[in-house]
Short mmCIF file of all heavy atoms in Angstrom, two decimals:
data_model
loop_
_atom_site.label_atom_id
_atom_site.label_comp_id
_atom_site.label_asym_id
_atom_site.label_seq_id
_atom_site.Cartn_x
_atom_site.Cartn_y
_atom_site.Cartn_z
N LEU A 1475 -47.54 42.96 -27.65
CA LEU A 1475 -47.29 43.72 -28.85
C LEU A 1475 -46.07 43.09 -29.63
O LEU A 1475 -46.29 42.60 -30.74
CB LEU A 1475 -47.09 45.16 -28.47
CG LEU A 1475 -47.04 46.23 -29.56
CD1 LEU A 1475 -48.29 46.22 -30.42
CD2 LEU A 1475 -46.89 47.59 -29.05
N ALA A 1476 -44.92 43.34 -28.86
CA ALA A 1476 -43.74 42.77 -29.63
C ALA A 1476 -43.54 41.36 -29.47
O ALA A 1476 -42.78 40.71 -30.18
CB ALA A 1476 -42.54 43.64 -29.16
N GLU A 1477 -44.01 40.82 -28.28
CA GLU A 1477 -43.64 39.38 -27.93
C GLU A 1477 -43.96 38.37 -29.13
O GLU A 1477 -43.16 37.45 -29.21
CB GLU A 1477 -44.44 39.00 -26.70
CG GLU A 1477 -43.84 39.71 -25.37
CD GLU A 1477 -44.47 41.11 -25.22
OE1 GLU A 1477 -45.19 41.60 -26.10
OE2 GLU A 1477 -44.18 41.66 -24.16
N ARG A 1478 -44.90 38.65 -29.87
CA ARG A 1478 -45.37 37.63 -30.84
C ARG A 1478 -44.58 37.77 -32.12
O ARG A 1478 -44.53 36.78 -32.84
CB ARG A 1478 -46.92 37.85 -31.22
CG ARG A 1478 -47.86 37.73 -30.07
CD ARG A 1478 -49.24 38.22 -30.46
NE ARG A 1478 -49.41 39.57 -30.83
CZ ARG A 1478 -49.54 40.06 -32.11
NH1 ARG A 1478 -49.65 39.30 -33.11
NH2 ARG A 1478 -49.58 41.32 -32.24
N ASN A 1479 -43.98 38.84 -32.38
CA ASN A 1479 -43.15 39.02 -33.60
C ASN A 1479 -41.70 38.54 -33.46
O ASN A 1479 -41.07 38.24 -34.43
CB ASN A 1479 -43.11 40.49 -33.86
CG ASN A 1479 -44.51 41.20 -34.12
OD1 ASN A 1479 -45.27 41.06 -33.26
ND2 ASN A 1479 -44.65 41.85 -35.30
N LEU A 1480 -41.22 38.51 -32.24
CA LEU A 1480 -39.82 38.06 -32.08
C LEU A 1480 -39.56 36.73 -32.32
O LEU A 1480 -40.35 35.81 -32.09
CB LEU A 1480 -39.44 38.54 -30.61
CG LEU A 1480 -39.39 39.94 -30.20
CD1 LEU A 1480 -39.27 40.11 -28.75
CD2 LEU A 1480 -38.22 40.59 -30.94
N PRO A 1481 -38.39 36.29 -32.86
CA PRO A 1481 -38.10 35.02 -33.34
C PRO A 1481 -37.93 34.10 -32.02
O PRO A 1481 -37.57 34.60 -31.05
CB PRO A 1481 -36.67 35.15 -34.10
CG PRO A 1481 -36.16 36.42 -33.45
CD PRO A 1481 -37.31 37.28 -33.27
N GLY A 1482 -38.24 32.83 -32.30
CA GLY A 1482 -38.06 31.83 -31.15
C GLY A 1482 -39.46 31.73 -30.42
O GLY A 1482 -39.43 31.18 -29.32
N SER A 1483 -40.49 32.10 -31.10
CA SER A 1483 -41.81 31.89 -30.44
C SER A 1483 -42.79 31.54 -31.49
O SER A 1483 -42.64 31.83 -32.70
CB SER A 1483 -42.22 33.26 -29.76
OG SER A 1483 -42.47 34.20 -30.87
N LEU A 1484 -43.90 30.81 -31.15
CA LEU A 1484 -45.00 30.40 -32.04
C LEU A 1484 -46.22 30.28 -31.22
O LEU A 1484 -46.18 30.12 -29.90
CB LEU A 1484 -44.64 29.15 -32.76
CG LEU A 1484 -44.35 27.92 -31.99
CD1 LEU A 1484 -45.58 27.05 -31.64
CD2 LEU A 1484 -43.31 26.97 -32.82
N ILE A 1485 -47.39 30.23 -31.77
CA ILE A 1485 -48.71 30.13 -31.14
C ILE A 1485 -49.40 28.90 -31.64
O ILE A 1485 -49.50 28.69 -32.84
CB ILE A 1485 -49.54 31.40 -31.35
CG1 ILE A 1485 -48.89 32.57 -30.82
CG2 ILE A 1485 -50.95 31.22 -30.81
CD1 ILE A 1485 -49.61 33.94 -30.95
N VAL A 1486 -49.86 28.25 -30.70
CA VAL A 1486 -50.76 26.90 -31.06
C VAL A 1486 -52.02 27.02 -30.24
O VAL A 1486 -52.17 27.70 -29.30
CB VAL A 1486 -49.98 25.70 -30.59
CG1 VAL A 1486 -48.62 25.57 -31.50
CG2 VAL A 1486 -49.64 25.58 -29.16
N ASP A 1487 -52.99 26.21 -30.77
CA ASP A 1487 -54.17 25.99 -30.00
C ASP A 1487 -54.16 24.67 -29.30
O ASP A 1487 -53.14 24.08 -29.06
CB ASP A 1487 -55.41 26.12 -31.05
CG ASP A 1487 -55.39 25.08 -32.09
OD1 ASP A 1487 -54.60 24.10 -32.06
OD2 ASP A 1487 -56.16 25.23 -33.02
N GLY A 1488 -55.41 24.28 -28.91
CA GLY A 1488 -55.48 23.01 -28.07
C GLY A 1488 -55.09 21.80 -28.91
O GLY A 1488 -54.89 20.69 -28.23
N THR A 1489 -54.95 21.89 -30.17
CA THR A 1489 -54.45 20.71 -30.98
C THR A 1489 -53.02 20.60 -31.07
O THR A 1489 -52.44 19.65 -31.59
CB THR A 1489 -55.03 20.73 -32.40
OG1 THR A 1489 -54.43 21.80 -33.08
CG2 THR A 1489 -56.63 20.96 -32.42
N GLY A 1490 -52.34 21.71 -30.54
CA GLY A 1490 -50.87 21.74 -30.71
C GLY A 1490 -50.35 22.10 -32.01
O GLY A 1490 -49.15 22.03 -32.29
N ARG A 1491 -51.21 22.70 -32.79
CA ARG A 1491 -50.89 23.22 -34.12
C ARG A 1491 -51.02 24.72 -34.24
O ARG A 1491 -51.89 25.27 -33.60
CB ARG A 1491 -51.80 22.54 -35.20
CG ARG A 1491 -51.66 20.97 -35.26
CD ARG A 1491 -52.41 20.46 -36.41
NE ARG A 1491 -52.40 19.04 -36.48
CZ ARG A 1491 -53.30 18.22 -35.96
NH1 ARG A 1491 -54.32 18.69 -35.31
NH2 ARG A 1491 -53.15 16.86 -36.04
N ARG A 1492 -50.27 25.33 -35.15
CA ARG A 1492 -50.36 26.75 -35.43
C ARG A 1492 -51.51 27.00 -36.15
O ARG A 1492 -52.08 26.15 -36.91
CB ARG A 1492 -49.12 27.24 -36.24
CG ARG A 1492 -47.78 27.24 -35.49
CD ARG A 1492 -46.71 27.51 -36.45
NE ARG A 1492 -46.66 28.99 -36.86
CZ ARG A 1492 -46.22 29.40 -38.03
NH1 ARG A 1492 -45.90 28.53 -38.93
NH2 ARG A 1492 -46.18 30.75 -38.21
N TYR A 1493 -52.11 28.24 -36.12
CA TYR A 1493 -53.33 28.58 -36.84
C TYR A 1493 -53.37 30.10 -37.44
O TYR A 1493 -54.29 30.49 -38.03
CB TYR A 1493 -54.64 28.48 -36.03
CG TYR A 1493 -54.62 29.30 -34.72
CD1 TYR A 1493 -55.09 30.61 -34.76
CD2 TYR A 1493 -54.10 28.84 -33.54
CE1 TYR A 1493 -55.14 31.46 -33.65
CE2 TYR A 1493 -54.09 29.55 -32.41
CZ TYR A 1493 -54.57 30.99 -32.42
OH TYR A 1493 -54.59 31.69 -31.35
N VAL A 1494 -52.17 30.74 -37.25
CA VAL A 1494 -52.05 32.10 -37.56
C VAL A 1494 -50.65 32.58 -37.80
O VAL A 1494 -49.86 31.95 -37.16
CB VAL A 1494 -52.77 33.00 -36.63
CG1 VAL A 1494 -52.04 33.06 -35.31
CG2 VAL A 1494 -53.06 34.44 -37.07
N ASN A 1495 -50.41 33.65 -38.63
CA ASN A 1495 -49.23 34.33 -38.48
C ASN A 1495 -49.04 35.11 -37.17
O ASN A 1495 -49.83 36.02 -37.01
CB ASN A 1495 -49.12 35.29 -39.68
CG ASN A 1495 -47.92 36.23 -39.63
OD1 ASN A 1495 -47.01 36.11 -38.85
ND2 ASN A 1495 -48.06 37.32 -40.41
N GLU A 1496 -48.23 34.60 -36.34
CA GLU A 1496 -48.13 35.07 -34.97
C GLU A 1496 -47.82 36.55 -34.90
O GLU A 1496 -48.17 37.33 -34.03
CB GLU A 1496 -47.09 34.41 -34.19
CG GLU A 1496 -47.33 32.96 -33.87
CD GLU A 1496 -46.88 31.97 -34.96
OE1 GLU A 1496 -46.55 32.49 -36.09
OE2 GLU A 1496 -46.84 30.83 -34.69
N ALA A 1497 -47.11 37.11 -35.90
CA ALA A 1497 -46.71 38.53 -36.07
C ALA A 1497 -47.70 39.41 -36.71
O ALA A 1497 -47.41 40.56 -37.01
CB ALA A 1497 -45.30 38.58 -36.74
N ALA A 1498 -48.92 38.84 -37.00
CA ALA A 1498 -49.98 39.75 -37.71
C ALA A 1498 -50.45 40.77 -36.82
O ALA A 1498 -50.28 40.68 -35.63
CB ALA A 1498 -51.08 38.80 -38.11
N PRO A 1499 -50.99 41.88 -37.37
CA PRO A 1499 -51.56 42.92 -36.55
C PRO A 1499 -52.49 42.26 -35.46
O PRO A 1499 -53.20 41.35 -35.74
CB PRO A 1499 -52.33 43.73 -37.55
CG PRO A 1499 -51.63 43.49 -38.83
CD PRO A 1499 -51.19 42.08 -38.82
N TYR A 1500 -52.49 42.91 -34.30
CA TYR A 1500 -53.13 42.23 -33.13
C TYR A 1500 -54.70 42.01 -33.34
O TYR A 1500 -55.14 40.96 -32.91
CB TYR A 1500 -52.89 42.96 -31.78
CG TYR A 1500 -52.71 44.50 -31.92
CD1 TYR A 1500 -53.77 45.40 -31.78
CD2 TYR A 1500 -51.40 45.06 -32.16
CE1 TYR A 1500 -53.60 46.76 -31.84
CE2 TYR A 1500 -51.26 46.46 -32.26
CZ TYR A 1500 -52.32 47.30 -32.16
OH TYR A 1500 -52.26 48.63 -32.15
N VAL A 1501 -55.33 42.87 -33.99
CA VAL A 1501 -56.78 42.66 -34.31
C VAL A 1501 -57.00 41.47 -35.12
O VAL A 1501 -57.82 40.55 -34.83
CB VAL A 1501 -57.35 43.93 -34.92
CG1 VAL A 1501 -58.85 43.57 -35.50
CG2 VAL A 1501 -57.57 45.06 -33.88
N ASP A 1502 -56.18 41.22 -36.16
CA ASP A 1502 -56.26 40.16 -37.05
C ASP A 1502 -55.90 38.86 -36.28
O ASP A 1502 -56.59 37.90 -36.59
CB ASP A 1502 -55.34 40.29 -38.19
CG ASP A 1502 -55.63 41.43 -39.10
OD1 ASP A 1502 -56.72 42.12 -38.87
OD2 ASP A 1502 -54.86 41.80 -39.98
N ALA A 1503 -54.88 38.90 -35.40
CA ALA A 1503 -54.61 37.74 -34.73
C ALA A 1503 -55.72 37.28 -33.82
O ALA A 1503 -56.02 35.93 -33.73
CB ALA A 1503 -53.27 38.03 -33.81
N VAL A 1504 -56.40 38.15 -33.15
CA VAL A 1504 -57.62 37.68 -32.30
C VAL A 1504 -58.77 37.29 -33.21
O VAL A 1504 -59.45 36.39 -32.94
CB VAL A 1504 -57.97 38.77 -31.29
CG1 VAL A 1504 -59.23 38.39 -30.58
CG2 VAL A 1504 -56.85 38.88 -30.26
N HIS A 1505 -58.91 37.90 -34.34
CA HIS A 1505 -59.98 37.46 -35.32
C HIS A 1505 -59.67 35.98 -35.65
O HIS A 1505 -60.64 35.14 -35.68
CB HIS A 1505 -60.04 38.27 -36.61
CG HIS A 1505 -60.73 39.53 -36.39
ND1 HIS A 1505 -60.48 40.61 -37.35
CD2 HIS A 1505 -61.58 40.01 -35.54
CE1 HIS A 1505 -61.24 41.69 -36.92
NE2 HIS A 1505 -61.80 41.34 -35.88
N ALA A 1506 -58.37 35.63 -35.86
CA ALA A 1506 -58.14 34.19 -36.15
C ALA A 1506 -58.34 33.40 -34.92
O ALA A 1506 -58.89 32.19 -35.00
CB ALA A 1506 -56.74 34.14 -36.71
N MET A 1507 -57.96 33.83 -33.71
CA MET A 1507 -58.16 33.08 -32.48
C MET A 1507 -59.62 32.76 -32.18
O MET A 1507 -60.04 31.65 -31.84
CB MET A 1507 -57.56 33.99 -31.33
CG MET A 1507 -57.65 33.25 -29.99
SD MET A 1507 -57.08 34.33 -28.60
CE MET A 1507 -55.33 34.47 -29.03
N LEU A 1508 -60.49 33.78 -32.41
CA LEU A 1508 -61.94 33.58 -32.12
C LEU A 1508 -62.68 32.77 -33.18
O LEU A 1508 -63.72 32.16 -32.95
CB LEU A 1508 -62.64 35.02 -31.96
CG LEU A 1508 -62.15 35.76 -30.80
CD1 LEU A 1508 -62.83 37.21 -30.87
CD2 LEU A 1508 -62.54 35.12 -29.54
N GLY A 1509 -62.13 32.79 -34.41
CA GLY A 1509 -62.64 32.04 -35.46
C GLY A 1509 -63.93 32.59 -35.99
O GLY A 1509 -64.18 33.80 -35.98
N PRO A 1510 -64.85 31.75 -36.68
CA PRO A 1510 -64.77 30.28 -36.49
C PRO A 1510 -63.78 29.66 -37.41
O PRO A 1510 -63.55 30.17 -38.46
CB PRO A 1510 -66.17 29.82 -36.83
CG PRO A 1510 -66.74 30.90 -37.74
CD PRO A 1510 -66.02 32.21 -37.40
N PRO A 1511 -63.31 28.40 -36.93
CA PRO A 1511 -63.59 27.82 -35.67
C PRO A 1511 -62.67 28.45 -34.56
O PRO A 1511 -61.77 29.10 -34.91
CB PRO A 1511 -63.15 26.38 -35.85
CG PRO A 1511 -61.96 26.43 -36.87
CD PRO A 1511 -62.32 27.51 -37.84
N SER A 1512 -63.16 28.41 -33.35
CA SER A 1512 -62.44 28.85 -32.19
C SER A 1512 -61.08 28.13 -32.06
O SER A 1512 -61.00 26.94 -32.25
CB SER A 1512 -63.29 28.80 -30.88
OG SER A 1512 -62.45 29.15 -29.83
#
């Protein structure tokens, strides 16, 4: 819940690149995670 919003963290996929606002509402963050593309 809070872990993604706090400074000093980021989320990447298997390419090593970010793909989402990490602090987005949790449903939206997983929508981005699932894609498409995954």
Side-chain angles (χ1 to χ4, degrees):
L1475 189 58
E1477 287 83 357
R1478 300 172 294 110
N1479 300 55
L1480 291 166
S1483 66
L1484 58 89
I1485 294 175
V1486 299
D1487 61 12
T1489 68
R1491 299 185 182 94
R1492 296 173 70 212
Y1493 60 87
V1494 69
N1495 167 14
E1496 295 88 348
Y1500 32 92
V1501 165
D1502 296 353
V1504 172
H1505 281 162
M1507 183 185 289
L1508 293 174
S1512 171

